[in-house]
Amino acid sequence: MTSSLESARSAIRPFHRKSEPEVLAPLVVSATVDGSVRREIVHRARGLLDDLRQAQADGWVNSFLQQYRLGTEEGTALLSLAEAFLRVPDPQTADLLIADKLTEAEWSDHKGQSSSLLVNSATWGLVLGKAVLGDSSSTLKRLIAKAGEPFVRQAVGAAMRLMGQVFVMGRNIDEAMKRMETKDNRGFTASFDMLGEAARTKDDAARYFESYRASIAAVGRNAARGHSVSVKLSALHPRYETAQSAKSVHELAEMVRVLAQSASSLGVQLTIDAEEAARLEMSLDIIETVARDPSLRGWDGLGMAVQAYSKRARPVLAWADALGKETGRIMQVRLVKGAYWDSEIKHAQERGLTDFPLFTRKAATDVSYLACAKDMFAAPNIRPAFATHNALTVATILEWAGAERDFEFQRLHGMGEGLFERLVREDGYQCRTYAPVGGHRDLLAYLVRRLLENGANSSFVHQLADQSVSEDELLADPVEKIIAVGGTRHPAIVAPADLFQPERVNSRGIDLDDAAILKETAAEIAVPLKLDVTSSVTPIQAVELALAAYPAWAQTPVDARADCLDRLADLLEINRGRLMAIAVQEARKTIPDALSEVREAIDFCRYYAARARVDLAPIELPGPTGERNVLRHEGRGVWVAIAPWNFPLAIFLGQIAAALVAGNTVVAKPAPQTPAIGNLAVALAHEAGVPEDVLQIVIGAGDAGAALTADTRISGVVFTGSVPTAKAIARNLLADDHRPLVPLIAETGGLNAMIVDSTALSEQVVRDVILSGFQSAGQRCSALRLLLVQEDIADHTLEMLRGAMDSLVVGDPSDPATDIGPVIDQSAYDLLMAYRSSVQDQILHEIAVPAKGLYVPPTVIRLDDVSALNREYFGPLVHVATWKAGTLEATIAKINAKGFGLTMGLHSRIAGSSALVEQLARVGNLYINRSMIGAVVGSQPFGGEGLSGTGPKAGGPHYLYRFCAERTTSTDTTSAGGNASLLSLDDGS
């Protein structure tokens, strides 16, 4: 028999990506209040607004937000400076950062504009800073310059620390608890949270665990004060993700159990914070495991946070109530709006998921919050905590609570002053301050997140600070707003499927963060397939067939050719599981890589189809009256497409699709290591309507490719692979003086470098190095080969990189837990392992791999200088060197001197550095503050220059033209007896 808890748990998942109107319909009913109650709520809310405005006039933070809003250049500059400044260890880079941020905005416009003396003082400091650092030659600058840039640096550092004190309760738990006893916090309790990013390494996780344990012990020394501790699960494990859940959930449950036992013994409440939507189910598993522990029976201090912006919020609350009932406890539940809204939107769009896991309108979140609040009041096994800065929300909760006092409000430290003071000190309500604890360096990411949330246009704090927003607008009923739009998605937020509309439909993804879907996908991929493939035609026969088919295909209207590609894309989507299985079993790709491969192939087909309909239409060109000039793009003839094994479907079909839609016939040769997936792709193309003779496939090794490119009847070659092979093809195409000159499109590899300066966030850098250097076993032409770290942060960055590498899983690519699979074949393995042996004394770090199989250990290799690396090693090997502050331009010149020009990465918070790299780097793709892999069709056209390729860029707006012959027809329209259109003109008065 199914328990109430099991039933409640099973009810959560269906809401994950349900349509917004469907989820909102019952929430609207629950959140609706009738006219008389609504009037009472608004009346009470107006009183709260008066308190808030008084506090806003007194508090410099609110004045600061009002003066420097995020939508302004000044607000953005301050946010960027605050995010990076305190972690920069060297003065030279700190000065560059200050100059970069302070000189790009007009601070003088804000002089004396605020009611806050502190804000005006800060403004004068910023004006003076710009005077020192900017281009002004004023007397003021000359006077201040005598103090030098250290003066400005010290002033900015002090300002950033002051901002940190506003949002962080203390640098350590003792300081934070002491501050809670000051006059400003009289009557309030705190929930202390240890600041920091998610753990990247086991050492990070151990450090955070000890800080949580110490905090519980410190709070427990005066448990009667009522303070609590909040725990962020991602800080306790470097691999808190679905694919690693079998291990991470168990380990996290054990750590939380230890913390909970300590909290229980000391009478301290412990709350599990909510994080990204992908982690919700794992979080519930951990909370349930801890709640069921016999040693914690009867303890009512276990708590959890629920995000109202989540479509699953209401069923999660029902589950929490059922868990409390089944384990005999009252669950402490904190209802929050939600802190990862923007990243969740982007995540769903990038991955082509069916819908968003959260609401896209602020009003929808407010409706959900109110409906959830009502549920919490009705739940017998939940003690509610309402975290909000919204006066209308607070007034509504107070109305519903009536005389009830067994609940609490919560606010963020540094936000919402004035909203709760009267309620706490005069009316007897309880309010807890969410109080971050940590060093100023640790506050950066937290600070930016809080300011972004509360400075966003739709936030109550932002609107309150905006004098143009009336009280009536501030207190408008969110239910009425949602009813007015029918609960629909925000029109400015594009659904994942529509990301590239009206041009094309986005390829559908698979939600691999959903444990059930991941399990189903892995089972489908694990079914063994027969991969033997033999070719039925020789290179000569294939060219003959394609040549004979060319005239009819060239005459086929471009719309009809494009329709074939659209149908092929649909067939790829239908056969996605089989294609992914072949990619895993034949190309040795991991499950996420296999999915990306299929999606990219689909995107290529749809993108080139869409571009062809627009770009290949005849173009009327200007000319004198009586003359008609038309430019046409037509096929060239037979193209040979030679694809690599590392993208045996996406690049293979991308080449083919572009050539076909331009009006050419194609002879395609997949890599000898991956013929099966190429064979299936061609079969699907034929099924989509491409005539069999129009698209031929030749199976074979290098000799087959050489025979195809030597055939003087072909009209072009598109190739992706190594530089030596590309040069051999180029020579082959010129070997016969009597053959026509034909185009070669070549995309080769690169010595791709990532430059990291001391303003970069180490956690972000390490994440992107892992992705760029080791994903796909480093077997991407875009992969990171050379990491260049500013020497001031090299030791810290490399230490974190070592720890992050140690948490990687190397193994069977069909296992969902695997991060890195084997390399493609024995020859690749032997080459890479021989090179590793030759630089054994330079290896900084490597990780263990299975003894059996073609597994090359992910390795970091130290170089004395950039010049030491002159060859691409196509595997999970990242070379690292350092550079000195002030030598960025020279460092770029050294990279350029290599002659390769495919991808480059930069991690920096200095806009001027980004502009300099963009100006000087001779690469096809530059990636700033992100990974260097995963170029998206139509968004990030891909291809290099120099030794890295000929261009044009695949997946870009100019690619199709290279497959075409341009033909112009000029017609004298007067030859039949005069210019009738000119002669028939009237006087045109």
Side-chain angles (χ1 to χ4, degrees), residues 40 48 161 232 289-290 297-298 324 344 373 447 495 503 513 515 581 626 684 787 826 865 871 989:
E40 181 61 32
L48 294 172
R161 290 181 179 86
K232 184 178 181 181
T289 299
V290 174
R297 191 178 305 279
E344 296 283 14
L447 172 62
E503 183 180 72
D513 291 325
L684 292 174
L787 175 62
Q826 188 69 49
D865 188 73
R871 174 181 173 178
S989 61

Side-chain angles (χ1 to χ4, degrees), residues 43-104:
H43 174 74
R44 178 174 257 159
R46 290 188 193 281
L48 294 172
L49 282 180
D50 292 340
D51 291 344
L52 270 167
R53 287 209 165 97
Q54 180 60 45
Q56 182 186 70
D58 296 339
W60 81 273
V61 178
N62 290 320
S63 299
F64 188 87
L65 286 172
Q66 183 176 352
Q67 192 63 221
Y68 298 111
R69 294 181 189 157
L70 295 185
T72 66
E73 287 185 355
E74 294 82 9
T76 303
L78 278 176
L79 192 65
S80 301
L81 186 58
E83 191 273 337
F85 180 77
L86 294 178
R87 68 168 169 264
V88 179
D90 61 296
Q92 186 169 357
T93 306
D95 290 340
L96 282 175
L97 179 68
I98 294 169
D100 189 73
K101 302 310 174 191
L102 294 195
T103 59
E104 66 184 21

Side-chain angles (χ1 to χ4, degrees), residues 543-674:
V543 173
E544 287 175 352
L545 291 168
L547 195 61
Y550 170 69
W553 183 248
Q555 293 301 312
T556 301
V558 67
D559 281 345
R561 301 195 300 256
D563 289 344
C564 287
L565 295 193
D566 282 335
R567 288 192 295 270
L568 174 55
D570 293 343
L571 286 171
L572 292 171
E573 216 149 52
I574 292 169
N575 290 273
R576 180 176 60 190
R578 180 173 176 78
L579 289 164
M580 287 176 63
I582 300 176
V584 170
Q585 296 177 36
E586 181 180 61
R588 300 178 178 181
K589 289 181 174 285
T590 61
I591 293 174
D593 282 349
L595 174 59
S596 297
E597 173 94 5
V598 179
R599 290 192 65 211
E600 186 175 5
I602 294 166
D603 287 334
F604 270 133
C605 291
R606 289 179 179 155
Y607 178 73
Y608 291 142
R611 294 305 323 170
R613 293 185 179 102
V614 175
D615 298 339
L616 303 188
I619 302 172
E620 293 252 0
L621 301 175
T625 182
E627 182 176 283
R628 182 170 181 261
N629 299 296
V630 179
L631 175 66
R632 292 171 288 110
H633 293 92
E634 299 181 1
R636 290 176 174 272
V638 178
W639 274 74
V640 170
I642 302 176
W645 50 260
N646 63 329
F647 284 93
L649 181 68
I651 291 179
F652 181 74
L653 272 184
Q655 295 173 341
I656 291 169
L660 287 175
V661 81
N664 304 283
T665 53
V666 178
V667 178
K669 193 195 86 64
Q673 297 93 333
T674 54

Side-chain angles (χ1 to χ4, degrees), residues 625-916:
T625 182
E627 182 176 283
R628 182 170 181 261
N629 299 296
V630 179
L631 175 66
R632 292 171 288 110
H633 293 92
E634 299 181 1
R636 290 176 174 272
V638 178
W639 274 74
V640 170
I642 302 176
W645 50 260
N646 63 329
F647 284 93
L649 181 68
I651 291 179
F652 181 74
L653 272 184
Q655 295 173 341
I656 291 169
L660 287 175
V661 81
N664 304 283
T665 53
V666 178
V667 178
K669 193 195 86 64
Q673 297 93 333
T674 54
I677 198 165
N679 200 63
L680 178 55
V682 168
L684 292 174
H686 293 155
E687 186 179 340
V690 178
E692 291 192 11
D693 288 354
V694 167
L695 173 59
Q696 299 286 314
I697 183 169
V698 171
I699 306 298
D703 55 344
L708 287 170
T709 57
D711 196 312
T712 58
R713 297 169 296 177
I714 66 170
S715 297
V717 176
V718 55
F719 166 79
T720 300
S722 69
V723 173
T725 303
K727 288 185 174 182
I729 292 172
R731 287 190 293 268
N732 218 6
L733 294 176
L734 295 172
D736 187 338
D737 288 341
H738 298 289
R739 75 181 298 176
L741 295 171
V742 300
L744 167 64
I745 303 172
E747 192 264 284
T748 55
L751 294 181
N752 310 311
M754 178 188 288
I755 302 171
V756 179
D757 75 14
S758 63
T759 67
L761 182 63
S762 296
E763 290 85 354
Q764 186 180 6
V765 170
V766 168
R767 179 199 66 193
D768 291 340
V769 169
I770 294 287
L771 288 174
S772 304
F774 302 131
Q775 188 169 322
S776 309
Q779 298 172 122
R780 292 173 179 249
C781 47
S782 58
L784 170 63
R785 308 297 178 198
L786 179 59
L787 175 62
L788 301 172
V789 186
Q790 187 178 324
E791 62 182 10
D792 304 272
I793 60 165
D795 291 344
H796 171 70
T797 302
L798 293 176
E799 183 61 31
M800 185 176 287
L801 177 59
R802 291 185 188 97
M805 289 172 64
D806 288 341
S807 71
L808 294 173
V809 178
V810 181
D812 180 358
S814 67
D815 184 342
T818 293
D819 298 303
I820 301 170
V823 295
I824 188 65
D825 59 20
Q826 188 69 49
S827 62
Y829 175 84
D830 292 343
L831 176 67
L832 292 166
M833 295 302 286
Y835 172 67
R836 286 181 76 259
S837 296
S838 72
V839 293
Q840 189 64 44
D841 59 339
Q842 297 168 242
I843 291 178
L844 289 178
H845 196 62
E846 58 186 319
I847 62 176
V849 299
K852 293 184 178 179
L854 302 177
Y855 297 102
V856 173
T859 307
V860 177
I861 301 166
R862 182 65 184 255
L863 301 178
D864 293 331
D865 188 73
V866 176
S867 60
L869 182 66
N870 294 296
R871 174 181 173 178
E872 179 183 34
Y873 291 93
F874 211 69
L877 312 179
V878 172
H879 302 79
V880 62
T882 60
W883 58 284
K884 293 181 181 293
T887 65
L888 178 59
E889 189 168 343
T891 300
I892 299 168
K894 288 181 179 180
I895 299 169
N896 287 339
K898 301 291 181 184
F900 290 91
L902 190 56
T903 66
M904 183 182 290
L906 172 69
H907 270 274
S908 175
R909 297 300 192 263
I910 301 175
S913 297
S914 299
L916 180 68

Side-chain angles (χ1 to χ4, degrees), residues 187-255:
F188 289 79
T189 53
S191 179
F192 297 112
D193 176 37
M194 304 302 105
L195 271 180
E197 290 288 275
R200 292 285 171 202
T201 71
K202 291 179 180 178
D203 288 344
D204 286 342
R207 186 171 64 253
Y208 282 125
F209 178 79
E210 290 304 323
S211 71
Y212 284 128
R213 186 149 63 177
S215 297
I216 292 168
V219 171
R221 286 194 290 270
N222 185 13
R225 180 65 175 84
H227 297 319
S228 62
V229 174
S230 292
V231 173
K232 184 178 181 181
L233 293 175
S234 60
L236 295 177
H237 203 288
R239 301 306 305 274
Y240 180 38
E241 53 202 70
T242 303
Q244 305 295 329
S245 61
K247 183 177 182 182
S248 66
V249 167
H250 171 72
E251 293 176 349
L252 278 165
E254 288 303 307
M255 284 188 278

Side-chain angles (χ1 to χ4, degrees), residues 203-467:
D203 288 344
D204 286 342
R207 186 171 64 253
Y208 282 125
F209 178 79
E210 290 304 323
S211 71
Y212 284 128
R213 186 149 63 177
S215 297
I216 292 168
V219 171
R221 286 194 290 270
N222 185 13
R225 180 65 175 84
H227 297 319
S228 62
V229 174
S230 292
V231 173
K232 184 178 181 181
L233 293 175
S234 60
L236 295 177
H237 203 288
R239 301 306 305 274
Y240 180 38
E241 53 202 70
T242 303
Q244 305 295 329
S245 61
K247 183 177 182 182
S248 66
V249 167
H250 171 72
E251 293 176 349
L252 278 165
E254 288 303 307
M255 284 188 278
V256 175
R257 189 200 312 271
V258 171
L259 295 176
Q261 287 169 339
S262 175
S264 174
S265 67
L266 295 171
V268 175
Q269 182 181 313
L270 185 71
T271 300
I272 308 300
D273 275 338
E275 300 186 61
E276 294 88 347
R279 291 172 164 153
L280 175 62
E281 295 279 358
M282 293 185 292
S283 177
L284 300 185
D285 289 339
I286 293 164
I287 292 168
E288 181 176 346
T289 299
V290 174
R292 289 183 180 280
D293 188 86
S295 69
L296 299 173
R297 191 178 305 279
W299 175 54
D300 287 339
L302 181 61
M304 60 182 289
V306 176
Q307 297 163 316
Y309 71 11
S310 168
K311 293 174 179 176
R312 295 177 286 181
R314 205 176 192 187
V316 168
L317 287 171
W319 175 85
D321 185 45
L323 177 64
K325 180 180 179 181
E326 186 155 316
T327 59
R329 62 165 38 85
I330 301 297
M331 292 293 296
Q332 308 290 326
V333 179
R334 171 196 296 152
L335 183 64
V336 300
K337 296 293 175 72
Y340 302 91
W341 183 82
D342 52 342
S343 59
E344 296 283 14
I345 295 290
K346 182 180 180 182
H347 180 89
Q349 288 177 333
E350 285 179 333
R351 284 155 181 77
L353 303 178
T354 54
D355 208 327
F356 302 110
L358 39 68
F359 301 112
T360 56
R361 295 180 189 264
K362 175 65 165 55
T365 295
D366 289 341
V367 167
S368 173
Y369 193 98
L370 293 174
C372 288
K374 184 173 282 189
D375 286 356
M376 291 169 74
F377 277 128
N381 305 290
I382 285 177
R383 181 178 185 272
F386 302 109
T388 180
H389 302 140
N390 187 310
L392 182 65
T393 303
V394 172
T396 305
I397 289 170
L398 290 172
E399 178 67 28
W400 287 345
E404 174 67 44
R405 290 292 191 274
D406 191 22
F407 70 95
E408 66 183 41
F409 289 108
Q410 294 194 359
R411 71 176 184 192
L412 289 169
H413 172 60
M415 296 285 182
E417 283 85 350
L419 181 58
F420 298 110
E421 277 75 2
R422 190 190 303 272
L423 293 173
V424 169
R425 293 166 186 165
E426 297 180 15
D427 299 336
Y429 290 97
Q430 300 174 69
C431 184
R432 188 178 302 273
T433 300
Y434 188 85
V437 178
H440 291 135
R441 187 184 182 279
D442 296 322
L443 71 88
L444 302 169
Y446 172 86
L447 172 62
V448 171
R449 172 58 58 191
R450 296 289 81 81
L451 289 176
L452 281 172
E453 285 173 12
N454 293 284
N457 289 340
S458 61
S459 81
F460 185 85
V461 173
H462 176 93
Q463 291 179 333
L464 182 68
D466 188 344
Q467 297 297 325

Side-chain angles (χ1 to χ4, degrees), residues 176-193:
M177 291 179 65
K178 183 178 180 181
R179 188 172 178 186
M180 277 302 299
E181 301 311 310
T182 61
K183 179 182 176 183
D184 288 343
N185 294 307
R186 179 171 56 87
F188 289 79
T189 53
S191 179
F192 297 112
D193 176 37

